[in-house]
Amino acid sequence: MTKMRASIGKVTELLVVCLGLSPLCHVSAAAQDEYLAKVEEALRAVSNDSLQKAEHLFSQALRISPGDSRNALIYSNIGKIKESQGEFEEAINSYSKAILQYPGTPAFLRPRAVLYLSTAQYQLAISDYKRLAEQDPQNAEYNSAIGYAYTKLSRFAEADDYLNKALAVNPKEYVALLGKTIVLLETGHLNEARTQIDILIGMFPDKAELYSLRSDQEAREGRSELALRDLDKAVELEPQNKNYVLRRAYLHFEAHHYSKALEDFQNSIRLGIPRSAINTEMQKCKDEL
């Protein structure tokens, strides 16, 4: 919650500065006073972690002055609130409304790009990050994100170009290093990839996806005990990641660890995996116990 509040705070600073600007639409002085009062009350609610109240007050301000030039900042704040609540598409919609008012503004464009990337909307993420990179061509974050998104689209030559740009600026840029590792894996350079994953785990020991990557390779090579050990670490770091829990369930299932497999299958349902997708395997576990 503290991290999310700080993120909102960056946009809030802009909003406070802009409160004195004139609106684009013509509303009465009384309506303007009410608009400002709602926004200021919403900002206080954000600072107190009363996010539902803040969202309600921001929405009231939008209704009072729907054409106001400052509404972009309100939409961005609503986007941050929606993002903190896991409502990612709603957050994207809010950021998009802010971008419509002020196209290309990094304070609005970057959070939408981040969400596009994290929700696997890779082509849209590339589009947003490229708009950001046009303004800041040497930005390691933007170039590494573009490169990583290209790896997910299996466009490895383009990925390499952007990943190399990022690493030229910051040789320790995590997403770029991860992207380079994925390129090695996907283009069949398995020995190099394994070495790189080990190096990255040494550099970034708290990144669950690295243990997951290494677990995948170990499983393909028939080293199931090592694969399970690495996936245990991934789940330890991200216990709410349903994909890690489900994959560990299948590793246990394949190793005939039916009790552990059943526990992970049940946990994966709690985390959002449809029961119908794993019902056969769960029944098999129960039959074997």
Side-chain angles (χ1 to χ4, degrees):
M1 183 65 74
T2 301
K3 181 178 178 182
M4 186 280 305
R5 188 171 63 229
S7 182
I8 288 179
K10 292 178 183 178
V11 177
T12 295
E13 290 175 8
L14 293 172
L15 183 53
V16 171
V17 169
C18 292
L19 286 178
L21 296 179
S22 299
L24 289 176
C25 62
H26 299 289
V27 295
S28 68
Q32 276 300 295
D33 288 343
E34 186 180 4
Y35 174 91
L36 294 176
K38 294 293 184 185
V39 172
E40 289 167 356
E41 189 179 354
L43 295 178
R44 287 194 295 272
V46 168
S47 68
N48 293 327
D49 290 335
S50 300
L51 299 185
Q52 287 187 330
K53 179 179 180 182
E55 183 183 349
H56 179 67
L57 290 163
F58 280 136
S59 297
Q60 287 183 323
L62 292 172
R63 286 194 293 271
I64 292 167
S65 188
D68 200 294
S69 61
R70 298 162 290 191
N71 286 347
L73 293 153
I74 293 178
Y75 284 126
S76 184
N77 269 296
I78 292 174
K80 289 293 180 188
I81 291 170
K82 292 293 189 184
E83 186 175 346
S84 74
Q85 296 169 336
E87 300 176 18
F88 299 134
E89 286 304 317
E90 290 84 352
I92 287 170
N93 289 337
S94 289
Y95 293 137
S96 296
K97 290 176 182 177
I99 291 165
L100 280 174
Q101 282 193 271
Y102 292 98
T105 302
F108 307 145
L109 197 55
R110 182 183 174 277
R112 188 176 73 174
V114 170
L115 272 185
Y116 278 146
L117 191 62
S118 66
T119 56
Q121 299 181 68
Y122 298 119
Q123 195 60 61
L124 292 171
I126 288 168
S127 177
D128 274 1
Y129 274 115
K130 281 187 173 181
R131 289 171 67 186
L132 289 163
E134 286 173 2
Q135 301 175 56
D136 188 1
Q138 298 304 308
N139 188 294
E141 176 198 343
Y142 301 160
N143 283 304
S144 63
I146 295 167
Y148 178 79
Y150 274 132
T151 69
K152 305 304 284 187
L153 296 174
S154 299
R155 293 165 63 175
F156 300 121
E158 292 158 294
D160 242 1
D161 286 343
Y162 283 97
L163 296 171
N164 288 336
K165 284 181 186 178
L167 291 171
V169 175
N170 180 8
K172 295 184 178 180
E173 177 70 23
Y174 171 70
V175 173
L177 291 168
L178 176 63
K180 293 286 283 186
T181 305
I182 292 172
V183 171
L184 290 172
L185 285 169
E186 295 297 330
T187 55
H189 297 84
L190 301 184
N191 289 333
E192 284 183 73
R194 278 194 292 270
T195 299
Q196 186 66 12
I197 292 171
D198 290 341
I199 292 170
L200 289 182
I201 286 175
M203 294 172 63
F204 306 99
D206 294 331
K207 296 291 187 181
E209 61 199 322
L210 295 176
Y211 297 96
S212 174
L213 270 180
R214 191 164 69 179
S215 175
D216 283 348
Q217 285 307 109
E218 290 160 341
R220 290 191 188 105
E221 295 164 4
R223 298 188 289 170
S224 57
E225 288 187 15
L226 291 176
L228 272 168
R229 188 185 306 167
D230 273 335
L231 208 45
D232 282 342
K233 184 64 176 178
V235 173
E236 177 189 327
L237 290 168
E238 291 186 16
Q240 301 305 307
N241 188 309
K242 62 186 178 183
N243 295 319
Y244 295 162
V245 174
L246 182 61
R247 282 173 43 220
R248 189 173 66 175
Y250 276 109
L251 283 179
H252 280 307
F253 184 80
E254 290 164 7
H256 308 298
H257 303 157
Y258 294 114
S259 177
K260 291 180 178 179
L262 182 59
E263 182 180 354
D264 275 343
F265 281 131
Q266 290 169 335
N267 284 335
S268 69
I269 291 171
R270 178 178 57 81
L271 293 170
I273 297 295
R275 178 181 290 272
S276 58
I278 54 178
N279 210 37
T280 301
E281 290 83 353
M282 288 180 65
Q283 187 59 52
K284 171 70 172 176
C285 291
K286 292 174 183 176
D287 291 343
E288 294 292 336
L289 292 177

